[in-house]
Amino acid sequence: MDKFPAILPPFLILFFSFSLSLSDGYFTGNSSHPGLTSQADSLCAQLIEPNGYSCAEYIVQTKDGYLLALQRVSSRSGDIRVQQGRPVLLQHGLFMAGDAWFLDSTEQSLGFILADQGFDVWVGNVRGTRWSHGHTSLSETEKEFWEWSWQELALYDLAEMLNYINSVTSSKIFIVGHSQGTIMSLAALTQPDIAEMVEAAALLCPISYLDHVSAPLVLRMVAVHLDQMVLGLGLHQLNFRSDVLVNLVDSLCDGHVDCTDFLSSVTGQNCCFNKTRMDFYLEYEPHPSSVKNLRHLFQMIRQGTFSRYDYGILKNLLMYGQFKPPAFDLNSIPKSLPLWMSYGGNDALADVTDVQHTLEELTSNPELLYLENYGHIDFLLSINANRDVYDHMIGFFSQLCTA
């Protein structure tokens, strides 16, 4: 894979960390699917199997025609075809993909840790990412390919992945989400047909509201309407490996925001992120997303809502039959559905005030883990996350397995 363009400040990508199956069996990557052109180009082959873990890949088709990759991982001593543990779906954040759960050592990466603990690990990859580029009729060079936001990721991508896992395992599923993965999870769980497939959810940096984001560079992006600027350039795909976007975002810092500590300017201060592995991370991140997705996130910041995409009054009437987009009602998440959430005092994206807003709207009382010194990236890439975060999460799941 090409290295990330040098002009981009190195921590930019970390801000954005903010079923009908086409293959009913073991998928090795030898397919015409454009996102997985060869076995050597698959996530299994690049990050999981070299560490001694069995890994199978499947393709799932969404209702609107996107082709998603699902990886299934077992422990180094397990047989992937006779998995006995409870299925867990790992759902990544914005501008990331399933590789995010395997970027550190086997003792530090949550995907490996869960497999070693005996869970049946499934790894989600949403539309537009490197592992899931593809559609039944659209090319990714077409505008229509990128006509989606996290709304579709929740109601189509996540829903179809859960449906496929449920059909294979005949079991309800644990969900683990980080950042945008929690937005998707919370939105999806307001839908009864999706919630009934889920045993419990563990949310890292939980987000349903974003109106208290405090990261200086993020606020500047919103203030200058970066989303509209990119659309004005005729772009519909957000690919931060392109020189156009690299230069555009780099200019936002120049004379406007102190980006000396770039990571802090976009995520909050992270206590335990391993900066020495940045070159390795940049071999895999960032993945593309859509301009519409960014616009939807900016709507959340500007309007203080957790709602479907806002098209404006006239198109809202056409799409939804009302002037404003319908809200995702957190009260609709079943009270009986166990939730576990972990959040940090230094997270400038999943702000503590917004997390509290989420908690107030839920009918249940989630189990909480608050870490004062953790920032947004620590929950995924901290050198101490296995002890600080994942042990608690696994304890939460294990209690439910034995109940």
Side-chain angles (χ1 to χ4, degrees):
M1 185 187 302
D2 292 338
K3 285 287 187 178
F4 198 73
I7 191 171
L8 182 63
F11 290 113
L12 175 62
I13 54 110
L14 295 174
F15 149 62
F16 295 110
S17 297
F18 236 143
S19 156
L20 173 64
S21 171
L22 298 184
S23 173
D24 201 24
Y26 194 89
F27 178 71
T28 62
N30 297 317
S31 166
S32 60
H33 171 46
L36 295 170
T37 56
S38 69
Q39 184 174 4
D41 195 39
S42 71
L43 174 55
C44 283
Q46 290 198 21
L47 280 177
I48 299 171
E49 291 171 343
N51 283 289
Y53 292 75
S54 298
C55 184
E57 303 209 3
Y58 304 85
I59 302 177
V60 175
Q61 180 179 320
T62 67
K63 293 179 180 178
D64 53 349
Y66 288 88
L67 305 176
L68 313 179
L70 268 176
Q71 289 81 30
R72 191 182 192 185
V73 184
S74 71
S75 69
R76 284 170 280 194
S77 59
D79 184 343
I80 204 161
R81 301 177 193 273
V82 290
Q83 289 278 43
Q84 301 296 321
R86 191 70 63 87
V88 180
L89 173 62
L90 302 178
Q91 187 51 59
H92 61 81
L94 179 64
F95 292 113
M96 287 189 159
D99 45 63
W101 307 101
F102 302 94
L103 291 175
D104 283 324
S105 71
T106 57
E107 291 77 26
Q108 294 174 319
S109 299
L110 182 59
F112 293 129
I113 292 170
L114 287 170
D116 285 336
Q117 289 291 322
F119 291 93
D120 182 5
V121 178
W122 294 77
V123 186
N125 302 270
V126 303
R127 63 187 67 186
T129 56
R130 175 188 174 196
W131 314 114
S132 283
H133 279 174
H135 189 276
T136 55
S137 61
L138 297 172
S139 165
E140 63 188 76
T141 61
E142 297 178 78
K143 170 186 174 181
E144 291 76 14
F145 182 94
W146 301 98
E147 186 59 29
W148 48 265
S149 76
W150 59 258
Q151 175 178 316
E152 285 74 26
L153 302 186
L155 301 183
Y156 294 159
D157 292 23
L158 183 56
E160 211 61 57
M161 289 187 284
L162 289 168
N163 185 57
Y164 182 79
I165 297 168
N166 178 257
S167 71
V168 171
T169 64
S170 300
S171 175
K172 288 192 173 185
I173 301 137
F174 292 138
I175 295 178
V176 177
H178 174 253
S179 194
Q180 181 184 257
T182 71
I183 299 176
M184 293 168 55
S185 298
L186 288 168
L189 291 173
T190 66
Q191 311 301 302
D193 59 325
I194 300 177
E196 69 181 7
M197 295 185 286
V198 177
E199 182 72 24
L203 307 178
L204 303 170
C205 310
I207 296 172
S208 64
Y209 293 97
L210 282 169
D211 42 317
H212 288 87
V213 164
S214 58
L217 186 55
V218 179
L219 294 176
R220 174 155 176 79
M221 289 177 179
V222 174
V224 302
H225 295 271
L226 179 67
D227 48 336
Q228 293 175 301
M229 293 169 60
V230 174
L231 278 178
L233 294 172
L235 301 177
H236 300 278
Q237 176 188 173
L238 277 177
N239 185 349
F240 284 94
R241 294 181 183 273
S242 72
D243 290 339
V244 172
L245 289 182
V246 167
N247 287 322
L248 180 60
V249 175
D250 190 46
S251 69
L252 294 176
C253 285
D254 189 21
H256 302 285
V257 177
D258 181 5
C259 297
T260 305
D261 185 352
F262 201 86
L263 180 58
S264 297
S265 73
V266 294
T267 69
Q269 186 66 47
N270 293 279
C271 69
C272 312
F273 171 67
N274 188 354
K275 298 178 182 179
T276 65
R277 291 183 61 80
M278 178 57 67
D279 286 344
F280 178 74
Y281 299 153
L282 293 179
E283 293 181 16
Y284 292 92
E285 318 302 337
H287 291 255
S289 188
S290 72
V291 175
K292 185 176 181 180
N293 194 28
L294 186 67
R295 295 197 75 184
H296 199 173
L297 293 166
F298 282 10
Q299 287 175 4
M300 296 170 70
I301 296 174
R302 294 177 182 125
Q303 300 171 11
T305 56
F306 184 45
S307 301
R308 295 179 184 247
Y309 186 84
D310 190 349
Y311 290 96
I313 292 176
L314 293 180
K315 193 169 181 180
N316 284 343
L317 281 171
L318 180 64
M319 298 290 293
Y320 309 125
Q322 59 190 61
F323 293 129
K324 294 183 178 181
F328 286 102
D329 184 7
L330 293 174
N331 283 285
S332 298
I333 298 177
K335 186 175 183 179
S336 59
L337 181 68
L339 299 175
W340 180 94
M341 298 182 179
S342 188
Y343 60 108
N346 284 330
D347 193 335
L349 299 175
D351 185 86
V352 172
T353 303
D354 290 331
V355 173
Q356 187 60 40
H357 189 178
T358 299
L359 294 172
E360 290 170 357
E361 293 200 3
L362 293 168
T363 58
S364 62
N365 294 307
E367 188 171 321
L368 303 176
L369 176 63
Y370 174 68
L371 299 171
E372 178 68 35
N373 62 332
Y374 262 50
H376 198 73
I377 304 305
D378 288 320
F379 290 90
L380 188 65
L381 297 174
S382 165
I383 59 176
N384 300 318
N386 52 349
R387 180 185 68 248
D388 294 341
V389 182
Y390 304 153
D391 284 351
H392 296 272
M393 177 196 297
I394 291 169
F396 167 73
F397 285 151
S398 297
Q399 288 178 355
L400 296 173
C401 290
T402 59

